[in-house]
Amino acid sequence: MTQTARPAPALVLASTSRYRRELLQRLRLDFTVAAPEVDETPGVGEAPAALALRLARAKAQAVAARQPQALVIGSDQVADLAGEPLGKPGTHERAVRQLQRMSGQTVVFHTAAALACQARGLLQTDLASVRVRFRALQADEIERYLRAETPYDCAGSAKSEGLGIALLEAIDSDDPTALVGLPLIRVARLLRAAGLRLP
């Protein structure tokens, strides 16, 4: 009697970020996308790394509650400037202020990944922390950059995968996709541990 292989569980990315969607496509897995609808407000005194981990877990769990058989990936990124969390600026004015504050500074970008499956009682997390050293930035450089790339949906107001790389002195990371928004080395590790076969 031959046994038929069990189909792989559905894979869901709990994010509406096009950056995370494009990154996950690199693993050549079939997946769908669902909005997690999670409040991203930091807790009082919450450390940036702890915030990123909490939000990644919350996003994965929120979607897993709606799709209990699926494997759900949640992720969040928080920029850490001397212990202070910096989120997405949302506006030009806030982006200017963020870049002015980060000028000449080292900022740590904490990017957390979580994998959840409610039916299996699965919840695993991992964290990639990327140290980014910004150049000393002139006001006109900041203005030109923001007008050119409008990175208002990016934590820290700069896209290292685009023109934002010109604002930087150095990047120190063991998971290069983490800075873009999804730490693929860690995500692949979580998926393999959950029994998913990567191509």
Side-chain angles (χ1 to χ4, degrees), residues 6 24 26 41 46 56 89 95 102 116 124 146 180 184 196:
R6 289 172 48 191
L24 188 56
R26 294 187 190 182
T41 306
E46 189 172 23
M102 293 187 298
Q124 296 292 325
L146 292 176
V180 184
L184 284 183
L196 213 64

Side-chain angles (χ1 to χ4, degrees), residues 138-150:
Q138 302 301 315
D140 64 322
E141 287 182 297
I142 291 173
E143 190 66 28
R144 285 198 315 272
Y145 168 68
L146 292 176
R147 295 295 180 195
E149 200 153 61
T150 61

Side-chain angles (χ1 to χ4, degrees), residues 2 35-36 47 59 68 74-75 95-96 112 115 123-126 137 146 149 157 161 164 170-171 174 191 194-195:
T2 59
K59 291 173 181 181
S75 185
V96 168
L115 185 66
L123 180 61
Q124 296 292 325
T125 58
D126 208 337
L137 303 173
L146 292 176
E149 200 153 61
S157 305
E161 70 276 22
I171 297 172
D174 66 355
L191 291 173

Side-chain angles (χ1 to χ4, degrees), residues 14-125:
S15 176
T16 55
S17 163
R18 66 183 174 93
Y19 309 111
R20 291 194 177 107
R21 185 177 67 246
E22 289 167 2
L23 285 169
L24 188 56
Q25 285 170 345
R26 294 187 190 182
L27 297 183
R28 300 188 182 186
L29 296 167
D30 291 328
F31 67 94
T32 57
V33 171
E37 297 169 7
V38 165
D39 179 5
E40 298 188 22
T41 306
V44 176
E46 189 172 23
L51 174 61
L53 281 164
R54 177 176 65 81
L55 292 177
R57 278 193 300 268
K59 291 173 181 181
Q61 289 176 304
V63 173
R66 303 195 305 260
Q67 301 186 48
Q69 300 298 324
L71 281 171
V72 182
I73 299 167
S75 185
D76 195 78
Q77 183 180 79
V78 179
D80 177 347
L81 178 60
E84 179 188 344
L86 300 178
K88 300 168 187 168
T91 67
H92 182 83
E93 293 72 28
R94 287 186 190 138
V96 168
R97 286 197 296 274
Q98 278 193 357
L99 288 175
Q100 286 171 338
R101 293 185 61 205
M102 293 187 298
S103 173
Q105 303 296 313
T106 295
V107 180
V108 182
F109 288 79
H110 301 289
T111 308
L115 185 66
C117 178
Q118 187 163 292
R120 290 167 53 177
L122 173 71
L123 180 61
Q124 296 292 325
T125 58

